[in-house]
Amino acid sequence: MSLTDAQLASFQENGYLVIPDYLTPEEITSVLTETNTLLNDFPLETHPLTQFTTGDDKKAEHVGDEYFLNSGDKIRFFFEPDAFSSEPDPLTGGPALIKPKNLAVNKIGHSLHTLSSPFKAISLTARNAAIARSIGFVDPRVLQSMVICKQPSIGGAVPSHRDSEFLYTDPPSAVGWWYALQDAGPGNGTLGMWKGSHRGKKGGHIARRFVRKSVGSGTEFIENPGPRLPKGMDEEKVSEPSDEDLEILQVKAGSLVLIHGNVLHKSEKNTSSRSRYAYTFHVIEGGEGWEYDERNWLQPPEGGFSKLQ
């Protein structure tokens, strides 16, 4: 069940790997049904209408309210900024949705892998544990599971980033498991990956961190004072990769994309009439010699992050 030698070599060379038909049609149906149930059933009247943005686009502040910061062991819903009117709700004075709630959500997170049976069934599996061991994990731990909705016409762009900026361990160790629940391609916000950008000779350094503010509430980006590459990688300072290295992926529903925590990647706004649902979680090293940072926006629940075994 682990990666083949050819798959492992491709992952190590490029920083990502697409594995087609990783989920069965029955598994896809199961998690899509669960996703739609969650989107339709959550109560809007008690929701704080938290919008998701990292603040990278400079148009909005970083997300960082208590609803977001305390979501690591819960199932919560975060809205697309473009799902709201530019004018306040005349009755409440607050934000006014211009889309039905099920078509307004940016993502659902961040503990689907523990609280939802259909998502747990495709996350905490022996097959995923075998893949984690084949890419070098000693004590793989699962965290930050979420459905990214990429709603039709409003699904927001995700600026270029590296996942270890958000889930930092010392030294970096994060790897993303990204499942396409619907076909993803140009137009509906598929992944764009910079080949080889995780390696020291092409960049790959975790130069910044997304953390909880040291004073007050909320989140911010700071310079990373710790190790910037995983163990065994060259620490020489080099330039960032060029757009010649950028590959826009065509990913069929049911495929798994493994994403190295240091590889540079992004997704564009969904300008199409088709949604692009994807389920993703991350794996970090929990073994001796790696430390999960106490300033990371997401902190471990009581009992720690889920073992992948």
Side-chain angles (χ1 to χ4, degrees):
M1 293 189 291
S2 60
L3 298 182
T4 66
D5 289 344
Q7 287 174 323
L8 182 59
S10 179
F11 177 72
Q12 292 173 336
E13 175 68 19
N14 296 318
Y16 57 94
L17 175 71
V18 180
I19 306 176
D21 301 317
Y22 193 80
L23 298 181
T24 66
E26 293 76 17
E27 288 172 325
I28 297 171
T29 297
S30 176
V31 293
L32 282 176
T33 299
E34 173 78 343
T35 297
N36 288 321
T37 297
L38 291 169
L39 288 172
N40 286 315
D41 290 355
F42 79 93
L44 188 60
E45 60 275 8
T46 58
H47 196 285
L49 300 183
T50 301
Q51 301 174 34
F52 181 77
T53 173
T54 64
D56 262 342
D57 58 9
K58 310 302 182 187
K59 296 178 183 177
E61 293 185 0
H62 314 86
V63 67
D65 63 9
E66 289 303 307
Y67 184 81
F68 173 76
L69 291 174
N70 294 329
S71 64
D73 58 353
K74 300 176 181 67
I75 296 177
R76 289 185 167 174
F77 303 82
F78 304 92
F79 286 96
E80 284 285 358
D82 285 351
F84 292 87
S85 170
S86 58
E87 300 295 329
D89 188 305
L91 295 178
T92 67
L97 279 174
I98 57 175
K99 297 280 187 178
K101 66 176 186 177
N102 64 308
L103 298 178
V105 170
N106 171 291
K107 70 174 181 175
I108 309 170
H110 288 95
S111 199
L112 291 166
H113 68 285
T114 67
L115 299 176
S116 166
S117 295
F119 284 104
K120 184 175 183 178
I122 63 169
S123 305
L124 304 181
T125 67
R127 186 181 186 187
N128 286 334
I131 287 177
R133 288 192 295 270
S134 71
I135 57 180
F137 282 96
V138 177
D139 180 11
R141 302 297 184 102
V142 175
L143 69 165
Q144 191 182 260
S145 57
M146 52 192 171
V147 171
I148 310 296
C149 297
K150 281 284 184 179
Q151 303 285 5
S153 76
I154 64 167
V158 179
S160 56
H161 67 284
R162 295 178 162 94
D163 288 346
S164 283
E165 296 170 351
F166 297 84
L167 302 170
Y168 184 76
T169 61
D170 180 358
S173 65
V175 174
W177 266 244
W178 191 96
Y179 298 88
L181 304 184
Q182 298 172 325
D183 291 350
N188 77 332
T190 191
L191 294 172
M193 314 291 296
W194 276 269
K195 284 185 175 182
S197 59
H198 64 303
R199 292 182 280 120
K201 68 181 183 180
K202 282 197 173 184
H205 296 77
I206 303 303
R208 64 173 190 169
R209 301 256 320 284
F210 184 73
V211 300
R212 298 182 180 221
K213 288 182 178 179
S214 56
V215 178
S217 61
T219 56
E220 63 183 345
F221 282 105
I222 62 169
E223 183 177 353
N224 177 28
R228 298 186 172 199
L229 291 172
K231 284 185 177 180
M233 296 191 79
D234 191 353
E235 286 282 0
E236 67 178 292
K237 292 184 178 181
V238 292
S239 60
E240 288 291 307
S242 70
D243 282 348
E244 294 179 357
D245 301 311
L246 178 63
E247 180 181 3
I248 305 300
L249 301 187
Q250 289 269 12
V251 189
K252 288 292 187 181
S255 300
L256 168 64
V257 185
L258 290 176
I259 304 174
H260 192 287
N262 284 56
V263 77
L264 190 68
H265 61 289
K266 67 174 183 177
S267 64
E268 299 296 342
K269 182 174 181 175
N270 183 2
T271 58
S272 77
S273 60
R274 299 176 294 118
S275 59
R276 192 227 67 185
Y277 286 5
Y279 171 61
T280 184
F281 62 83
H282 291 82
V283 176
I284 58 165
E285 181 58 74
E288 185 176 351
W290 286 265
E291 181 179 353
Y292 189 77
D293 197 274
E294 63 183 11
R295 284 197 65 186
N296 284 343
W297 82 265
L298 188 152
Q299 288 300 304
E302 186 176 352
F305 295 126
S306 302
K307 284 181 174 287
L308 186 56
Q309 55 191 3

